[in-house]
Amino acid sequence: MRRMEVALITDRKELRAVLREKFPRNHGQLLPALHFLQHEFGHLPDWAMEVVGWHLGIPASEVYGAATSYTELRIKKPGEHVVRVCTGLGCWMNGGKDLLSGLAHDLQAKPGETTSDGRITLEETLCGFLCGLAPAVEVDGKWQGRATAAAVHASVNGAAKP
């Protein structure tokens, strides 16, 4: 399953109108609005965070601080596909460490980096909340529990095909 790539919202005025419709102007709407942006754009563009701040009446520094405090939110635009390996204790001890290092080697990208062709971003997450199914890996939003190197590589290769 491919991640939605292009947002239909293209400018500040259009985004402001959408935010007015979806989010009341109060401080408690900051995280829901940031998650909305993440869903629409795949990351949090600077200009869009600025519009959220205007709409909610929150200083840009506070919007940026919230955006950088939550690991599920991305400031940088990811590759076309995102592979996340859980590095929580259960996953780490049950093979997550080997899955992460194997993927990093095969993709020639360290965790947090995108492949040189821009197709795959490799990330680690502190917990996928799938400890009972450890190790867990997420490919384009779909989690795999009891992940094996072969299954993960098949998913990554399948996702990366044009």
Side-chain angles (χ1 to χ4, degrees), residues 37-57:
L37 294 181
Q38 172 95 9
H39 178 76
E40 291 295 310
F41 297 99
H43 72 295
L44 302 172
D46 288 343
W47 69 269
M49 287 194 293
E50 188 176 293
V51 174
V52 166
W54 292 341
H55 173 67
L56 299 177

Side-chain angles (χ1 to χ4, degrees), residues 30-31 34 38 44 49 60-75:
L30 177 56
L31 282 178
L34 291 177
Q38 172 95 9
L44 302 172
M49 287 194 293
S61 60
E62 189 174 341
V63 174
Y64 185 80
T68 56
S69 295
Y70 292 88
T71 58
E72 73 271 18
L73 298 174
R74 292 187 186 92
I75 301 295

Side-chain angles (χ1 to χ4, degrees), residues 26-161:
N26 69 56
H27 198 274
Q29 295 297 310
L30 177 56
L31 282 178
L34 291 177
H35 280 275
F36 170 76
L37 294 181
Q38 172 95 9
H39 178 76
E40 291 295 310
F41 297 99
H43 72 295
L44 302 172
D46 288 343
W47 69 269
M49 287 194 293
E50 188 176 293
V51 174
V52 166
W54 292 341
H55 173 67
L56 299 177
I58 297 173
S61 60
E62 189 174 341
V63 174
Y64 185 80
T68 56
S69 295
Y70 292 88
T71 58
E72 73 271 18
L73 298 174
R74 292 187 186 92
I75 301 295
K76 287 176 47 179
K77 183 177 181 178
E80 187 177 340
H81 303 280
V82 176
V83 178
R84 297 171 72 194
V85 178
C86 179
T87 57
L89 183 59
C91 287
W92 194 252
M93 297 302 291
N94 285 298
K97 177 181 178 182
D98 294 334
L99 289 174
L100 183 61
S101 65
L103 283 167
H105 178 268
D106 292 348
L107 297 173
Q108 296 294 304
K110 296 176 185 170
E113 292 182 349
T114 300
T115 55
S116 59
D117 62 2
R119 293 187 56 87
I120 300 173
T121 297
L122 179 63
E123 296 179 343
E124 57 183 302
T125 183
L126 295 177
C127 188
F129 302 100
L130 295 169
C131 301
L133 300 174
V137 175
E138 178 189 15
V139 178
D140 289 341
K142 185 176 179 182
W143 282 97
Q144 299 174 23
R146 296 188 180 99
T148 63
V152 170
H153 287 281
S155 292
V156 171
N157 290 334
K161 286 184 181 175

